[in-house]
Amino acid sequence: MRELLKKFENQQPEIVFEWSDSESEAEGWLVINSLRGGAAGGDTRMKKGLEKKDVIQLAKNTAIKYTISGPQIGGAKAGINFDPEDPRKEEVLKRWFKVVSPILKSYFGTSAGINIDEDQELIPLTESFGLWHPQEGVVDAHFKAEEPKKIRKIGQLRYGLSKIIENPEFSPSPTFRIRTSLMITGYGLAQTVIHYYKLWGGSLEGKKAIIQGWGNVGSAAAFFLSRAGVKIVGIISLEGGIIDKNGLDPDDIIKLYVNKDKNKLISRKLIPFETANKTIWDLSADIFVPAAKSRLITKPQLETMIAGGLELIASGANFPFAENDIFMGPVSTMADDQLSLIPDFISNVGIARMAAYLMSEKAQLTDEAIFQDVSKTIFKALKKCHETNPNKTQIARTALELALAKLQ
């Protein structure tokens, strides 16, 4: 596996498009690791301090993810190094999408990543440059869809990704209007945990979990896990944390979800981040869900959680551990060797799988069909890992080996 991994990591991306904005200090990169299946896909993000190497690593991770989620295309990623709080953001994005729109029309499909709003920025800007949808390049180049098939697939994408949840089973509140696309990745994370205990054994009821990050992914995962019987004993986000050794009630989790301010945790129980970050890792917990930014979990934090009885990590963030390696660095390898580590390219597959499903011929545009498809996709991937390696350790390594074999 190490030999395959080294070869994959060192292989130069097939296409690297570099951009320097003529009217600001913004710079951007579109990295297409390969045009496997005739196309490539990956989100577009904006972050101050983003570097070319970061985008290359993310493109490679997306390539691995597509072996799980489908469609069977190459991995890509678009990234802009610019402060998303800068008032010039909209004009920077306009100039970016103007120059990449020919690629988006031809063989690259994108979605809204960190600090990009799908409804307010991505969709309107790509439409203004003649695209029917940001995934149009995948529909054309991979599916080779001619009209009316193209019209149907684009229509399914447009409707499905903007669809408001109707089934209360998948919503934190019957009066809370929220898109399926905003809940689907957190749902997939929760399903990862549920499927893990089904396949590797053990009861989910009464398990204790720590959630890192309270954005769309972390908060939705907490909601679905709490409803499944998991006790959320700790939540930590940039603005602070909540610690309850007995576990927050499901109603408390719903209130925290509904009351959040964008990605900010709002609660009277909130303690300062510095305090939470010193104490939360000492909590006795069975499950840890890192769903915040990349490369945050340090070796000492991991060691402390393992000593406290941690048995499962389901990754909601890309590259959750504080290490420079793309895959299986020293911290993630330690986690994989000592407990059950489900890699992000399986557990964080929700929105990628949803888009793939909406482009398929069998897509049904109901909440039940979309959520169940994500659950089945994750279960299938985990079942294959379990069949290959029934042990509770080195699951991430097994998953990576299986993925790399598909890319050979």
Side-chain angles (χ1 to χ4, degrees):
M1 192 277 288
R2 288 291 175 186
E3 193 172 316
L4 279 176
L5 182 56
K6 185 177 179 181
K7 179 182 176 183
F8 178 70
E9 289 183 339
N10 291 337
Q11 187 176 21
Q12 291 297 311
E14 194 167 326
I15 299 170
V16 178
F17 176 87
E18 301 194 37
W19 172 75
S20 294
D21 188 20
S22 60
E23 298 182 36
S24 75
E25 65 275 22
E27 55 183 346
W29 304 271
L30 167 56
V31 176
I32 294 177
N33 192 61
S34 80
L35 287 173
R36 174 175 173 254
D43 68 44
T44 298
R45 58 185 56 197
M46 176 180 283
K47 180 183 175 183
K48 186 177 181 179
L50 191 69
E51 298 180 14
K52 177 181 174 180
K53 66 178 180 61
D54 300 324
V55 185
I56 291 173
Q57 291 178 348
L58 288 163
K60 288 186 177 293
N61 191 59
T62 304
I64 297 291
K65 181 180 289 188
Y66 278 133
T67 68
I68 305 297
S69 71
Q72 297 304 311
I73 60 175
K77 194 69 67 169
I80 303 168
N81 173 21
F82 192 69
D83 183 355
E85 299 300 322
D86 192 298
R88 298 171 293 170
K89 176 188 179 184
E90 182 179 355
E91 294 303 316
V92 168
L93 285 175
K94 281 182 181 178
R95 292 189 289 273
W96 167 260
F97 283 113
K98 181 178 181 179
V99 297
V100 300
S101 59
I103 304 174
L104 281 165
K105 290 178 183 178
S106 302
Y107 49 79
F108 170 55
T110 196
S111 57
I114 294 171
N115 297 318
I116 306 289
D117 186 277
E118 179 141 349
D119 291 335
Q120 302 299 318
E121 295 168 333
L122 179 64
I123 297 291
L125 286 172
T126 52
E127 283 184 346
S128 72
F129 294 112
L131 274 89
W132 291 4
H133 191 272
Q135 296 286 347
E136 186 175 340
V138 175
V139 174
D140 282 340
H142 176 68
F143 291 101
K144 302 185 187 307
E146 301 290 340
E147 296 184 26
K149 184 184 289 187
K150 176 178 177 178
I151 294 173
R152 183 173 71 252
K153 289 183 183 295
I154 294 293
Q156 289 171 180
L157 282 165
R158 291 174 69 98
Y159 176 81
L161 290 171
S162 62
K163 184 183 183 304
I164 300 297
I165 293 176
E166 300 170 277
N167 188 330
E169 179 182 351
F170 304 108
S171 175
S173 170
T175 59
F176 194 63
R177 289 175 56 83
I178 186 166
R179 294 201 310 268
T180 304
S181 59
L182 296 181
M183 295 293 290
I184 198 72
T185 302
Y187 170 81
L189 264 176
Q191 288 295 297
T192 297
V193 173
I194 292 167
H195 293 327
Y196 166 82
Y197 285 105
K198 286 180 182 177
L199 289 165
W200 275 272
S203 173
L204 188 66
E205 191 69 30
K207 294 290 184 183
K208 296 180 179 180
I210 296 172
I211 309 293
Q212 182 189 44
W214 201 244
N216 292 326
V217 176
S219 57
F223 163 69
F224 286 112
L225 284 172
S226 177
R227 200 178 61 179
V230 175
K231 296 179 179 179
I232 309 299
V233 295
I235 302 169
I236 186 167
S237 190
L238 283 176
E239 57 279 358
I242 297 174
I243 294 175
D244 188 326
K245 294 182 180 179
N246 296 317
L248 295 162
D249 292 333
D251 286 344
D252 292 331
I253 297 296
I254 290 172
K255 288 177 183 177
L256 289 172
Y257 187 98
V258 172
N259 292 334
K260 68 177 180 173
D261 180 12
K262 295 183 179 178
N263 292 336
K264 291 184 179 180
L265 185 62
I266 305 294
S267 172
R268 293 179 180 177
K269 297 181 179 179
L270 195 70
I271 60 177
F273 174 81
E274 292 75 14
T275 305
N277 199 39
K278 289 179 181 177
T279 57
I280 198 166
W281 314 111
D282 293 311
L283 289 174
S284 176
D286 309 284
I287 302 161
F288 175 50
V289 177
K293 295 180 180 179
S294 299
R295 310 201 186 281
L296 290 182
I297 308 306
T298 65
K299 183 180 178 182
Q301 289 168 345
L302 177 62
E303 289 173 334
T304 301
M305 287 189 287
I306 291 173
L310 188 70
E311 60 187 23
L312 171 65
I313 297 177
S315 302
N318 296 321
F319 315 127
F321 300 102
E323 55 194 10
N324 294 323
D325 304 72
I326 305 178
F327 303 102
M328 302 308 295
V331 185
S332 53
T333 297
M334 186 182 92
D336 198 38
D337 286 342
Q338 296 190 36
L339 46 71
S340 296
L341 171 63
I342 311 299
D344 63 278
F345 58 82
I346 292 179
S347 52
N348 184 29
V349 81
I351 191 65
R353 177 58 207 173
M354 181 179 175
Y357 177 70
L358 292 172
M359 285 186 274
S360 72
E361 293 298 312
K362 64 178 183 179
Q364 298 179 35
L365 304 183
T366 65
D367 295 330
E368 297 83 356
I370 293 169
F371 280 95
Q372 287 171 12
D373 176 76
V374 167
S375 177
K376 289 176 182 177
T377 299
I378 292 171
F379 181 79
K380 182 180 177 181
L382 290 176
K383 185 179 179 183
K384 184 66 175 177
C385 288
H386 184 263
E387 290 171 349
T388 306
N389 170 26
N391 299 318
K392 291 186 176 181
T393 57
Q394 298 193 347
I395 296 173
R397 178 180 298 189
T398 301
L400 192 54
E401 287 177 345
L402 293 169
L404 289 171
K406 290 183 180 180
L407 294 174
Q408 297 306 304

